[in-house]
Amino acid sequence: MDREPLSDEKIPESVDPTDVYVADVTDETAVRNAMDGVYAVIHLAGDPRPEAPWDSVLRNNIDGTQQMFDAAVDAGVEKFAFASSNHAVGAYETTDRTPDMYRPHHEFRLDGTELPRPSNLYGVSKAAGETLGRYYHDHHDISVVNVRIGNLTQHHPPKEYERGQAMWLSYRDCAHLFECCIEADYDYEIVYGISDNDRKYYSIDRARAVLGYDPQDNSAEFTFEGEPLDEA
């Protein structure tokens, strides 16, 4: 389900076009229709802007997520993967830790057991989504995994950006991680969504242990300028 029609190349051959819904995540009727017969949900919708204003994150990210959970529970969905964000814990990046925490061999790690510490209202909305997941798991027994996504880019890590390279998530690893969210067994989890970077301040141990996540990419395989080392 998406707010705008997907281009043909973005729809897998195995997906019937009649199963693709074009709707707003806050449209209750459309969301409930899309949930019919669904086993698992990967919820990526929302306003992704770090600078998004409160009225937008409230409607799209918080109310929209609650709408998704409610419809999922009523439809008997078994698993719900929520796309959270590094911004839900962005304020842990304090001036006394940065930029050293972005560099290899620095020992500071966030592992998902820490409390949210949002860096903006977008991060607040993602922390709220994680809490909604806790509620729906505890009261409705739906399996929920929150993936605090790092910096998602397709062909290479963010160029000349230490923070982005420390939290890089490649497209390949992202697809694999969410596939694990569908296939693994879990109750309620918070994991970090990054590749297996030498630079990292997010631990992926929980994602490995609970989901079977096995990332293949590493920002250290690229130069600081984003070029593959074997081509530099």
Side-chain angles (χ1 to χ4, degrees):
M1 188 176 80
D2 210 319
R3 183 178 291 174
E4 298 178 0
L6 292 173
S7 57
D8 290 341
E9 62 268 17
K10 289 186 177 181
I11 301 177
E13 293 181 1
S14 59
V15 175
D16 189 318
T18 61
D19 290 331
V20 177
Y21 290 81
V22 179
D24 193 299
V25 72
T26 61
D27 183 335
E28 180 179 0
T29 300
V31 168
R32 290 184 175 276
N33 287 340
M35 288 289 179
D36 186 37
V38 169
Y39 166 73
V41 169
I42 298 175
H43 177 40
L44 303 166
D47 187 336
R49 298 172 296 164
E51 72 282 4
W54 179 247
D55 60 343
S56 180
V57 298
L58 177 61
R59 178 177 185 273
N60 295 295
N61 300 12
I62 298 177
D63 290 346
T65 296
Q66 190 274 333
Q67 186 101 263
M68 291 289 289
F69 271 116
D70 220 36
V73 165
D74 288 348
V77 170
E78 295 186 26
K79 297 179 181 180
F80 195 109
F82 173 62
S84 187
S85 169
N86 63 87
H87 292 281
V89 289
Y92 281 100
E93 298 170 45
T94 56
T95 54
D96 61 318
R97 291 185 179 131
T98 59
D100 290 343
M101 66 186 293
Y102 306 143
R103 295 170 180 167
H105 313 303
H106 195 272
E107 295 182 356
F108 181 79
R109 291 287 185 277
L110 297 174
D111 62 7
T113 61
E114 65 284 326
L115 292 172
R117 197 171 171 183
S119 52
N120 44 46
L121 292 176
Y122 169 69
V124 170
S125 74
K126 290 301 182 179
E130 294 177 3
T131 304
L132 282 167
R134 178 83 258 184
Y135 166 78
Y136 278 94
H137 168 70
D138 287 346
H139 293 273
H140 299 282
D141 203 31
I142 185 173
S143 296
V144 177
V145 58
N146 305 282
V147 181
R148 290 176 175 169
I149 297 172
N151 198 314
L152 180 65
T153 56
Q154 185 169 9
H155 298 298
H156 51 72
K159 297 181 179 181
E160 301 181 3
Y161 181 35
E162 282 190 287
R163 180 177 184 269
Q165 292 181 6
M167 64 167 69
W168 182 46
L169 177 62
S170 69
Y171 271 33
R172 171 169 62 171
D173 287 340
C174 181
H176 165 60
L177 176 54
F178 280 103
E179 183 178 20
C180 291
C181 291
I182 294 173
E183 295 180 348
D185 292 322
Y186 47 85
D187 294 317
Y188 176 87
E189 295 289 341
I190 296 175
V191 301
Y192 281 94
I194 63 170
S195 292
D196 192 17
N197 308 314
D198 286 358
R199 303 171 179 264
K200 65 166 72 76
Y201 56 99
Y202 298 147
S203 171
I204 55 176
D205 290 349
R206 191 66 182 167
R208 290 185 188 274
V210 174
L211 303 179
Y213 179 47
D214 184 24
Q216 301 300 302
D217 294 312
N218 182 348
S219 61
E221 296 171 353
F222 297 79
T223 67
F224 189 58
E225 293 73 30
E227 299 298 327
L229 285 177
D230 57 3
E231 297 178 11

CSV table of all heavy atoms in Angstrom, one decimal, residues 19 22 24 42 46 104 114-115 117 125 129 142 155 158 162 165 179 182 186 218 231:
chain,number,residue,atom,x,y,z
A,19,ASP,N,-3.4,-6.5,-5.9
A,19,ASP,CA,-3.1,-6.5,-4.5
A,19,ASP,C,-2.3,-5.3,-4.1
A,19,ASP,O,-1.8,-5.2,-2.9
A,19,ASP,CB,-2.2,-7.8,-4.2
A,19,ASP,CG,-3.0,-9.1,-4.2
A,19,ASP,OD1,-4.2,-9.0,-4.0
A,19,ASP,OD2,-2.4,-10.1,-4.5
A,22,VAL,N,-3.5,1.9,-3.5
A,22,VAL,CA,-3.1,3.3,-3.5
A,22,VAL,C,-4.0,4.0,-2.5
A,22,VAL,O,-5.2,4.2,-2.7
A,22,VAL,CB,-3.1,3.9,-4.9
A,22,VAL,CG1,-2.7,5.4,-4.8
A,22,VAL,CG2,-2.2,3.1,-5.8
A,24,ASP,N,-4.0,6.5,1.5
A,24,ASP,CA,-3.4,7.2,2.6
A,24,ASP,C,-3.4,6.3,3.9
A,24,ASP,O,-4.4,5.7,4.2
A,24,ASP,CB,-4.1,8.5,2.9
A,24,ASP,CG,-3.3,9.5,3.8
A,24,ASP,OD1,-3.0,9.1,4.9
A,24,ASP,OD2,-2.9,10.6,3.4
A,42,ILE,N,4.9,-4.9,7.2
A,42,ILE,CA,6.1,-4.1,7.3
A,42,ILE,C,5.6,-2.7,7.1
A,42,ILE,O,5.2,-2.3,6.0
A,42,ILE,CB,7.1,-4.5,6.2
A,42,ILE,CG1,7.6,-5.9,6.4
A,42,ILE,CG2,8.3,-3.5,6.3
A,42,ILE,CD1,8.5,-6.4,5.3
A,46,GLY,N,4.8,7.1,6.5
A,46,GLY,CA,4.9,8.3,7.4
A,46,GLY,C,5.7,9.4,6.8
A,46,GLY,O,6.2,9.3,5.7
A,104,PRO,N,35.9,3.7,13.9
A,104,PRO,CA,36.1,2.3,14.3
A,104,PRO,C,36.8,2.2,15.7
A,104,PRO,O,37.6,3.1,16.1
A,104,PRO,CB,37.1,1.8,13.2
A,104,PRO,CG,36.8,2.7,12.0
A,104,PRO,CD,36.5,4.1,12.7
A,114,GLU,N,18.1,0.6,25.7
A,114,GLU,CA,18.1,2.0,26.2
A,114,GLU,C,16.7,2.7,25.9
A,114,GLU,O,16.0,2.3,25.0
A,114,GLU,CB,19.2,2.8,25.6
A,114,GLU,CG,19.1,3.1,24.1
A,114,GLU,CD,19.5,1.9,23.3
A,114,GLU,OE1,20.4,1.1,23.7
A,114,GLU,OE2,18.9,1.7,22.2
A,115,LEU,N,16.4,3.7,26.7
A,115,LEU,CA,15.2,4.4,26.5
A,115,LEU,C,15.3,5.3,25.3
A,115,LEU,O,16.4,5.7,24.9
A,115,LEU,CB,14.9,5.3,27.7
A,115,LEU,CG,14.5,4.6,29.0
A,115,LEU,CD1,14.4,5.6,30.2
A,115,LEU,CD2,13.2,3.9,28.9
A,117,ARG,N,15.5,8.6,23.1
A,117,ARG,CA,16.1,9.9,23.4
A,117,ARG,C,16.1,10.7,22.0
A,117,ARG,O,17.1,10.9,21.4
A,117,ARG,CB,17.5,9.8,23.9
A,117,ARG,CG,18.0,11.1,24.6
A,117,ARG,CD,19.3,10.8,25.3
A,117,ARG,NE,19.9,12.0,25.8
A,117,ARG,CZ,21.1,12.0,26.4
A,117,ARG,NH1,21.8,10.9,26.6
A,117,ARG,NH2,21.6,13.2,26.9
A,125,SER,N,8.0,10.9,17.1
A,125,SER,CA,6.9,10.1,16.5
A,125,SER,C,7.3,8.6,16.4
A,125,SER,O,6.5,7.7,16.5
A,125,SER,CB,6.5,10.6,15.1
A,125,SER,OG,7.5,10.4,14.1
A,129,GLY,N,5.7,5.3,18.1
A,129,GLY,CA,5.4,4.1,17.3
A,129,GLY,C,5.9,2.8,18.0
A,129,GLY,O,5.2,1.8,18.1
A,142,ILE,N,0.2,-9.6,19.4
A,142,ILE,CA,0.8,-9.6,18.1
A,142,ILE,C,2.3,-9.4,18.2
A,142,ILE,O,2.8,-8.7,19.1
A,142,ILE,CB,0.2,-8.4,17.2
A,142,ILE,CG1,0.7,-8.4,15.8
A,142,ILE,CG2,0.4,-7.1,17.9
A,142,ILE,CD1,0.0,-7.4,14.9
A,155,HIS,N,23.9,2.4,-3.4
A,155,HIS,CA,25.1,1.9,-4.0
A,155,HIS,C,26.3,2.0,-3.2
A,155,HIS,O,27.3,1.3,-3.4
A,155,HIS,CB,25.3,2.5,-5.4
A,155,HIS,CG,24.2,2.2,-6.4
A,155,HIS,ND1,23.9,0.9,-6.8
A,155,HIS,CD2,23.3,3.0,-7.0
A,155,HIS,CE1,22.9,1.0,-7.6
A,155,HIS,NE2,22.5,2.2,-7.8
A,158,PRO,N,27.0,7.0,2.6
A,158,PRO,CA,27.0,8.5,2.4
A,158,PRO,C,28.4,9.0,2.3
A,158,PRO,O,29.3,8.5,3.0
A,158,PRO,CB,26.3,9.0,3.7
A,158,PRO,CG,25.5,7.9,4.2
A,158,PRO,CD,26.2,6.6,3.8
A,162,GLU,N,30.9,11.0,8.3
A,162,GLU,CA,31.3,10.0,9.3
A,162,GLU,C,30.0,9.3,9.9
A,162,GLU,O,29.9,8.1,10.1
A,162,GLU,CB,32.2,10.5,10.4
A,162,GLU,CG,33.6,10.7,9.9
A,162,GLU,CD,34.5,11.1,11.1
A,162,GLU,OE1,34.4,12.2,11.6
A,162,GLU,OE2,35.3,10.2,11.6
A,165,GLN,N,28.2,7.0,7.6
A,165,GLN,CA,29.0,5.8,7.3
A,165,GLN,C,28.9,4.8,8.5
A,165,GLN,O,29.0,3.6,8.3
A,165,GLN,CB,30.4,6.1,6.9
A,165,GLN,CG,30.5,6.8,5.6
A,165,GLN,CD,31.9,7.2,5.1
A,165,GLN,OE1,32.9,6.8,5.8
A,165,GLN,NE2,32.0,7.9,4.0
A,179,GLU,N,13.1,-9.2,5.5
A,179,GLU,CA,12.7,-10.6,5.2
A,179,GLU,C,12.8,-11.4,6.5
A,179,GLU,O,12.0,-12.2,6.8
A,179,GLU,CB,13.6,-11.1,4.1
A,179,GLU,CG,13.2,-12.6,3.7
A,179,GLU,CD,14.1,-13.1,2.6
A,179,GLU,OE1,15.2,-12.6,2.4
A,179,GLU,OE2,13.6,-14.1,2.0
A,182,ILE,N,9.9,-11.0,8.8
A,182,ILE,CA,8.7,-11.8,8.4
A,182,ILE,C,8.9,-13.3,8.8
A,182,ILE,O,8.0,-13.9,9.3
A,182,ILE,CB,8.5,-11.7,6.9
A,182,ILE,CG1,8.1,-10.2,6.5
A,182,ILE,CG2,7.4,-12.7,6.5
A,182,ILE,CD1,8.0,-10.0,5.0
A,186,TYR,N,9.4,-14.1,17.3
A,186,TYR,CA,9.8,-13.2,18.3
A,186,TYR,C,8.5,-12.7,19.0
A,186,TYR,O,7.4,-12.9,18.5
A,186,TYR,CB,10.6,-12.0,17.7
A,186,TYR,CG,10.0,-11.4,16.5
A,186,TYR,CD1,9.0,-10.4,16.6
A,186,TYR,CD2,10.3,-11.8,15.2
A,186,TYR,CE1,8.4,-9.9,15.5
A,186,TYR,CE2,9.7,-11.3,14.1
A,186,TYR,CZ,8.8,-10.3,14.2
A,186,TYR,OH,8.2,-9.8,13.1
A,218,ASN,N,29.5,-3.4,4.3
A,218,ASN,CA,30.4,-2.8,5.3
A,218,ASN,C,30.8,-1.5,4.7
A,218,ASN,O,31.5,-1.5,3.7
A,218,ASN,CB,31.5,-3.7,5.7
A,218,ASN,CG,32.4,-3.1,6.8
A,218,ASN,OD1,32.3,-1.9,7.1
A,218,ASN,ND2,33.3,-3.9,7.3
A,231,GLU,N,38.2,-0.2,-6.5
A,231,GLU,CA,38.3,0.7,-7.7
A,231,GLU,C,39.0,2.0,-7.4
A,231,GLU,O,39.1,2.8,-8.3
A,231,GLU,CB,36.8,0.9,-8.1
A,231,GLU,CG,36.1,-0.3,-8.6
A,231,GLU,CD,34.7,0.0,-9.0
A,231,GLU,OE1,34.3,1.2,-9.1
A,231,GLU,OE2,33.9,-1.0,-9.2
